[in-house]
Amino acid sequence: MERATRTNEGKPSGGTEAQAKDVCLRLLTDRARSRAELAQSLAKKGYTPDIAERTLDRLAHVGLIDDASFAEQWVHSRHTYSGKGKQALALELRRKGIEQEIASQALSQISRDDEQERATELVRRKLRTLAVPADPAERDKIVRRLVGMLARRGYGQSLAFGVVKAELEHAGSDTDDLLDGD
């Protein structure tokens, strides 16, 4: 296999379109990737912007790169299997170089009910490993931990607090003295 040529300073000066295509195809065998991710990988390997752009255009033309499809798959997978909320998913898509309009379209597949259902599953799973104390101060610590867990996964404060409060009530804990999470 040919190697990228090197300049006098030892920095790569790029390679051929065929080599760039091979790099992209190897990356795409691991998982779907956004166009921006592939462009970044090619840049790190020293391919010129012109070679990278032509290569990515060809791959997009034959359907191997599709940011809309990537975003939909990413959102579905990360919401379903990692329990991520819309806020976290929007940030992840932005980091992956997905345009706002495409990200919004992909995120629209998650309804508020879907998000609430997934948050409820996460809280129930966590509550199985926690003993909810009767002492209000200790119970408040549990509430903060659970709401914090959901917040780190990208769920809004209002939804997170509502789910935690409902699940604590379901578990038999007194929640009358909890303030609203808004």
Coordinates of all heavy atoms in Angstrom, one line a residue, residues 46-103:
G46 N -3.5 13.8 7.4 CA -2.7 14.7 6.5 C -3.2 14.8 5.1 O -2.5 15.3 4.2
Y47 N -4.4 14.4 4.8 CA -4.9 14.5 3.5 C -5.3 16.0 3.3 O -5.8 16.7 4.2 CB -6.2 13.6 3.3 CG -5.8 12.2 3.2 CD1 -5.7 11.4 4.3 CD2 -5.4 11.6 2.0 CE1 -5.4 10.1 4.2 CE2 -5.0 10.3 1.9 CZ -5.0 9.5 3.0 OH -4.6 8.2 3.0
T48 N -5.1 16.5 2.1 CA -5.4 17.9 1.8 C -6.9 18.1 1.8 O -7.7 17.1 1.5 CB -4.8 18.3 0.4 OG1 -5.5 17.5 -0.6 CG2 -3.3 18.1 0.3
P49 N -7.4 19.3 2.0 CA -8.8 19.5 2.0 C -9.5 19.2 0.7 O -10.6 18.7 0.6 CB -8.9 21.0 2.3 CG -7.7 21.3 3.1 CD -6.6 20.4 2.5
D50 N -8.7 19.4 -0.4 CA -9.3 19.1 -1.7 C -9.5 17.6 -1.9 O -10.5 17.2 -2.4 CB -8.3 19.7 -2.8 CG -8.8 19.5 -4.2 OD1 -10.0 19.9 -4.4 OD2 -8.1 19.0 -5.1
I51 N -8.5 16.8 -1.6 CA -8.6 15.4 -1.7 C -9.8 14.9 -0.8 O -10.6 14.1 -1.2 CB -7.3 14.7 -1.3 CG1 -6.2 15.0 -2.3 CG2 -7.5 13.2 -1.1 CD1 -6.3 14.2 -3.6
A52 N -9.8 15.4 0.4 CA -10.8 15.0 1.4 C -12.2 15.3 0.9 O -13.1 14.5 0.9 CB -10.6 15.6 2.8
E53 N -12.4 16.5 0.4 CA -13.7 16.9 -0.1 C -14.2 16.1 -1.3 O -15.3 15.7 -1.3 CB -13.6 18.4 -0.5 CG -14.9 19.1 -0.7 CD -15.8 19.2 0.6 OE1 -15.2 19.2 1.7 OE2 -17.0 19.2 0.4
R54 N -13.3 15.9 -2.2 CA -13.6 15.0 -3.4 C -14.0 13.6 -3.0 O -15.0 13.0 -3.5 CB -12.5 15.0 -4.4 CG -12.4 16.3 -5.2 CD -11.6 16.2 -6.5 NE -10.3 15.5 -6.3 CZ -9.1 16.1 -6.3 NH1 -9.0 17.4 -6.4 NH2 -8.0 15.3 -6.2
T55 N -13.2 13.1 -2.1 CA -13.5 11.7 -1.6 C -14.8 11.6 -0.9 O -15.6 10.7 -1.1 CB -12.3 11.3 -0.6 OG1 -11.1 11.3 -1.3 CG2 -12.6 9.9 -0.1
L56 N -15.1 12.6 0.0 CA -16.3 12.6 0.8 C -17.5 12.8 -0.1 O -18.6 12.2 0.0 CB -16.3 13.6 1.9 CG -15.2 13.4 3.0 CD1 -15.1 14.5 3.9 CD2 -15.5 12.0 3.7
D57 N -17.3 13.7 -1.2 CA -18.4 13.9 -2.1 C -18.8 12.6 -2.9 O -19.9 12.3 -3.1 CB -18.0 15.0 -3.2 CG -18.1 16.4 -2.6 OD1 -18.7 16.6 -1.5 OD2 -17.5 17.3 -3.2
R58 N -17.7 11.8 -3.3 CA -18.0 10.6 -4.0 C -18.7 9.6 -3.0 O -19.6 8.9 -3.5 CB -16.7 10.0 -4.5 CG -16.1 10.7 -5.7 CD -14.9 10.1 -6.2 NE -15.1 8.8 -6.8 CZ -14.2 7.8 -6.9 NH1 -13.0 8.0 -6.4 NH2 -14.6 6.6 -7.4
L59 N -18.2 9.5 -1.8 CA -18.9 8.6 -0.8 C -20.3 9.0 -0.6 O -21.2 8.1 -0.4 CB -18.1 8.5 0.4 CG -16.7 7.8 0.3 CD1 -15.9 7.9 1.6 CD2 -16.8 6.3 -0.1
A60 N -20.6 10.3 -0.5 CA -21.9 10.7 -0.3 C -22.8 10.4 -1.5 O -24.0 10.0 -1.4 CB -21.9 12.2 0.0
H61 N -22.2 10.6 -2.7 CA -22.9 10.4 -3.9 C -23.4 8.9 -4.0 O -24.5 8.6 -4.5 CB -22.1 10.7 -5.1 CG -22.7 10.5 -6.4 ND1 -23.8 11.3 -6.9 CD2 -22.5 9.5 -7.4 CE1 -24.2 10.8 -8.1 NE2 -23.4 9.8 -8.4
V62 N -22.6 8.0 -3.6 CA -23.0 6.5 -3.6 C -23.8 6.1 -2.4 O -24.1 4.9 -2.3 CB -21.8 5.6 -3.9 CG1 -21.2 5.9 -5.2 CG2 -20.8 5.7 -2.8
G63 N -24.0 7.0 -1.5 CA -24.8 6.7 -0.3 C -24.1 6.2 0.9 O -24.8 5.7 1.8
L64 N -22.8 6.2 0.9 CA -22.1 5.7 2.1 C -22.0 6.7 3.2 O -21.7 6.4 4.4 CB -20.7 5.2 1.7 CG -20.7 4.0 0.8 CD1 -19.3 3.6 0.3 CD2 -21.3 2.8 1.5
I65 N -22.2 8.0 2.9 CA -22.2 9.0 3.9 C -23.6 9.7 3.8 O -23.9 10.2 2.7 CB -21.1 10.1 3.7 CG1 -19.7 9.4 3.7 CG2 -21.2 11.2 4.7 CD1 -18.6 10.4 3.3
D66 N -24.3 9.8 4.8 CA -25.6 10.4 4.8 C -25.9 10.9 6.3 O -26.2 10.2 7.2 CB -26.7 9.4 4.4 CG -28.1 10.0 4.4 OD1 -28.3 11.2 4.8 OD2 -29.0 9.3 4.0
D67 N -25.6 12.2 6.5 CA -25.7 12.8 7.8 C -27.1 12.6 8.4 O -27.3 12.4 9.6 CB -25.3 14.3 7.8 CG -23.8 14.4 7.8 OD1 -23.1 13.4 8.0 OD2 -23.3 15.6 7.8
A68 N -28.2 12.7 7.6 CA -29.5 12.6 8.1 C -29.8 11.2 8.6 O -30.3 11.0 9.7 CB -30.6 13.0 7.0
S69 N -29.4 10.2 7.9 CA -29.5 8.8 8.3 C -28.6 8.5 9.5 O -29.1 7.9 10.5 CB -29.1 7.9 7.2 OG -29.2 6.6 7.6
F70 N -27.4 9.1 9.5 CA -26.5 8.9 10.7 C -27.2 9.5 11.9 O -27.2 8.9 13.0 CB -25.2 9.6 10.4 CG -24.3 9.7 11.6 CD1 -23.6 8.7 12.1 CD2 -24.3 10.9 12.4 CE1 -22.8 8.8 13.2 CE2 -23.5 11.0 13.5 CZ -22.8 10.0 13.9
A71 N -27.7 10.7 11.8 CA -28.3 11.4 13.0 C -29.5 10.6 13.5 O -29.6 10.4 14.7 CB -28.7 12.8 12.6
E72 N -30.3 10.1 12.6 CA -31.5 9.3 13.1 C -31.0 8.0 13.8 O -31.6 7.7 14.9 CB -32.4 8.9 11.9 CG -33.2 10.1 11.4 CD -34.0 9.7 10.2 OE1 -34.2 8.5 9.9 OE2 -34.4 10.7 9.5
Q73 N -30.0 7.3 13.3 CA -29.5 6.1 13.9 C -28.9 6.4 15.2 O -29.1 5.7 16.2 CB -28.5 5.4 13.0 CG -29.0 4.8 11.7 CD -27.9 4.3 10.8 OE1 -26.8 4.2 11.2 NE2 -28.3 4.1 9.6
W74 N -28.1 7.5 15.3 CA -27.4 7.9 16.5 C -28.5 8.2 17.6 O -28.3 7.7 18.7 CB -26.6 9.1 16.2 CG -25.7 9.5 17.4 CD1 -26.0 10.4 18.4 CD2 -24.4 8.9 17.8 NE1 -25.0 10.5 19.3 CE2 -24.0 9.6 18.9 CE3 -23.6 8.0 17.2 CZ2 -22.8 9.3 19.6 CZ3 -22.4 7.7 17.8 CH2 -22.0 8.3 19.0
V75 N -29.5 9.0 17.3 CA -30.5 9.4 18.3 C -31.2 8.1 18.8 O -31.4 8.0 20.0 CB -31.5 10.4 17.7 CG1 -32.7 10.6 18.5 CG2 -30.8 11.8 17.5
H76 N -31.6 7.3 17.9 CA -32.4 6.1 18.3 C -31.5 5.2 19.2 O -31.9 4.8 20.2 CB -32.8 5.3 17.0 CG -33.4 4.0 17.4 ND1 -34.7 3.8 17.9 CD2 -32.9 2.7 17.3 CE1 -34.9 2.6 18.2 NE2 -33.9 1.9 17.8
S77 N -30.3 4.9 18.8 CA -29.4 4.1 19.5 C -29.1 4.6 20.9 O -29.2 3.9 21.9 CB -28.1 3.8 18.7 OG -27.2 3.1 19.5
R78 N -28.6 5.9 20.9 CA -28.2 6.5 22.2 C -29.4 6.7 23.2 O -29.2 6.6 24.4 CB -27.5 7.8 22.0 CG -26.2 7.6 21.1 CD -25.1 7.0 21.8 NE -24.5 8.0 22.7 CZ -23.7 7.7 23.7 NH1 -23.2 6.5 23.8 NH2 -23.2 8.7 24.5
H79 N -30.6 7.0 22.6 CA -31.7 7.1 23.5 C -32.2 5.8 24.0 O -32.4 5.6 25.2 CB -32.9 7.8 22.8 CG -34.1 7.9 23.6 ND1 -34.2 8.8 24.6 CD2 -35.3 7.3 23.5 CE1 -35.4 8.7 25.2 NE2 -36.1 7.8 24.5
T80 N -32.2 4.8 23.2 CA -32.7 3.5 23.5 C -31.7 2.7 24.4 O -32.1 2.2 25.5 CB -33.0 2.6 22.3 OG1 -33.9 3.3 21.5 CG2 -33.5 1.3 22.6
Y81 N -30.5 2.7 24.1 CA -29.5 1.8 24.8 C -28.7 2.6 25.8 O -28.2 1.9 26.8 CB -28.6 1.1 23.8 CG -29.4 0.3 22.8 CD1 -29.4 0.7 21.4 CD2 -30.1 -0.8 23.2 CE1 -30.2 0.0 20.5 CE2 -30.9 -1.5 22.3 CZ -30.9 -1.1 21.0 OH -31.7 -1.9 20.1
S82 N -28.5 3.9 25.7 CA -27.7 4.6 26.7 C -28.6 5.5 27.6 O -28.1 6.1 28.5 CB -26.7 5.5 26.0 OG -25.7 4.7 25.3
G83 N -29.9 5.6 27.2 CA -30.8 6.4 28.0 C -30.5 7.9 28.0 O -30.9 8.6 28.9
K84 N -30.0 8.3 26.9 CA -29.7 9.8 26.7 C -31.0 10.5 26.4 O -31.9 10.1 25.7 CB -28.7 10.0 25.6 CG -27.4 9.4 25.8 CD -26.6 10.1 26.9 CE -25.2 9.5 27.0 NZ -24.3 10.3 27.8
G85 N -31.1 11.7 27.0 CA -32.2 12.6 26.7 C -31.9 13.5 25.6 O -30.8 13.6 25.0
K86 N -32.9 14.3 25.1 CA -32.8 15.1 24.0 C -31.6 16.2 24.1 O -30.9 16.4 23.1 CB -34.1 15.9 23.7 CG -35.1 15.1 22.9 CD -36.3 16.0 22.6 CE -37.2 15.3 21.6 NZ -38.3 16.2 21.2
Q87 N -31.5 16.8 25.2 CA -30.4 17.8 25.4 C -29.0 17.2 25.2 O -28.2 17.8 24.5 CB -30.5 18.4 26.8 CG -31.7 19.2 27.0 CD -31.9 19.7 28.5 OE1 -31.1 19.4 29.3 NE2 -33.0 20.4 28.7
A88 N -28.8 16.0 25.7 CA -27.5 15.4 25.6 C -27.3 14.9 24.1 O -26.2 15.1 23.6 CB -27.3 14.2 26.5
L89 N -28.3 14.4 23.5 CA -28.2 14.0 22.1 C -28.0 15.2 21.2 O -27.2 15.0 20.2 CB -29.5 13.2 21.7 CG -29.7 11.9 22.4 CD1 -31.1 11.3 22.2 CD2 -28.6 10.9 22.0
A90 N -28.6 16.3 21.4 CA -28.4 17.5 20.6 C -26.9 17.9 20.7 O -26.3 18.2 19.7 CB -29.3 18.6 21.0
L91 N -26.3 17.9 21.9 CA -24.9 18.2 22.1 C -24.0 17.2 21.4 O -23.1 17.6 20.7 CB -24.6 18.3 23.6 CG -23.2 18.6 23.9 CD1 -22.8 20.0 23.4 CD2 -23.0 18.6 25.4
E92 N -24.3 15.9 21.5 CA -23.5 14.9 20.8 C -23.6 15.1 19.3 O -22.5 15.0 18.6 CB -24.0 13.5 21.2 CG -23.7 13.1 22.6 CD -24.2 11.7 22.9 OE1 -24.8 11.0 22.0 OE2 -24.0 11.3 24.0
L93 N -24.7 15.4 18.7 CA -24.9 15.6 17.3 C -24.1 16.8 16.8 O -23.4 16.8 15.8 CB -26.3 15.7 16.9 CG -27.1 14.4 17.0 CD1 -28.6 14.6 16.7 CD2 -26.6 13.3 16.0
R94 N -24.1 17.9 17.7 CA -23.4 19.1 17.3 C -21.9 18.8 17.3 O -21.2 19.2 16.4 CB -23.7 20.2 18.4 CG -23.3 21.6 17.9 CD -23.9 22.7 18.8 NE -24.1 22.4 20.2 CZ -25.3 22.3 20.7 NH1 -26.4 22.4 20.0 NH2 -25.5 22.1 22.0
R95 N -21.4 18.0 18.3 CA -20.0 17.6 18.3 C -19.6 16.7 17.1 O -18.4 16.7 16.8 CB -19.7 16.9 19.6 CG -19.7 17.8 20.8 CD -19.3 17.0 22.1 NE -19.3 17.9 23.2 CZ -19.5 17.5 24.5 NH1 -19.7 16.3 24.7 NH2 -19.4 18.4 25.4
K96 N -20.6 16.0 16.6 CA -20.3 15.2 15.5 C -20.4 15.9 14.1 O -20.2 15.4 13.1 CB -21.3 14.0 15.4 CG -21.2 13.1 16.7 CD -20.5 11.9 16.4 CE -20.3 11.0 17.6 NZ -19.0 10.6 17.8
G97 N -20.7 17.2 14.2 CA -20.7 18.1 13.0 C -22.0 18.0 12.3 O -22.1 18.4 11.1
I98 N -23.1 17.6 12.9 CA -24.4 17.5 12.2 C -25.0 18.9 12.3 O -25.1 19.5 13.3 CB -25.3 16.5 12.9 CG1 -24.6 15.1 12.9 CG2 -26.7 16.4 12.3 CD1 -24.4 14.5 11.5
E99 N -25.5 19.3 11.1 CA -26.2 20.6 11.0 C -27.4 20.7 11.9 O -28.1 19.7 12.1 CB -26.6 20.9 9.6 CG -25.4 21.1 8.6 CD -25.9 21.2 7.2 OE1 -27.1 21.5 7.0 OE2 -25.0 21.1 6.3
Q100 N -27.7 21.9 12.4 CA -28.9 22.1 13.3 C -30.2 21.5 12.8 O -30.9 20.9 13.5 CB -29.0 23.6 13.7 CG -30.1 23.9 14.6 CD -29.9 23.2 16.0 OE1 -28.8 23.2 16.5 NE2 -31.0 22.7 16.6
E101 N -30.5 21.8 11.5 CA -31.7 21.4 10.9 C -31.8 19.8 10.9 O -32.9 19.3 11.2 CB -31.9 22.0 9.5 CG -33.2 21.7 8.9 CD -33.3 22.3 7.5 OE1 -32.9 23.5 7.4 OE2 -33.9 21.7 6.6
I102 N -30.8 19.2 10.5 CA -30.7 17.7 10.5 C -30.9 17.2 11.9 O -31.6 16.2 12.1 CB -29.4 17.2 9.8 CG1 -29.5 17.6 8.3 CG2 -29.3 15.7 9.9 CD1 -28.2 17.4 7.6
A103 N -30.2 17.8 12.8 CA -30.2 17.3 14.2 C -31.7 17.4 14.8 O -32.2 16.5 15.4 CB -29.2 18.1 15.1

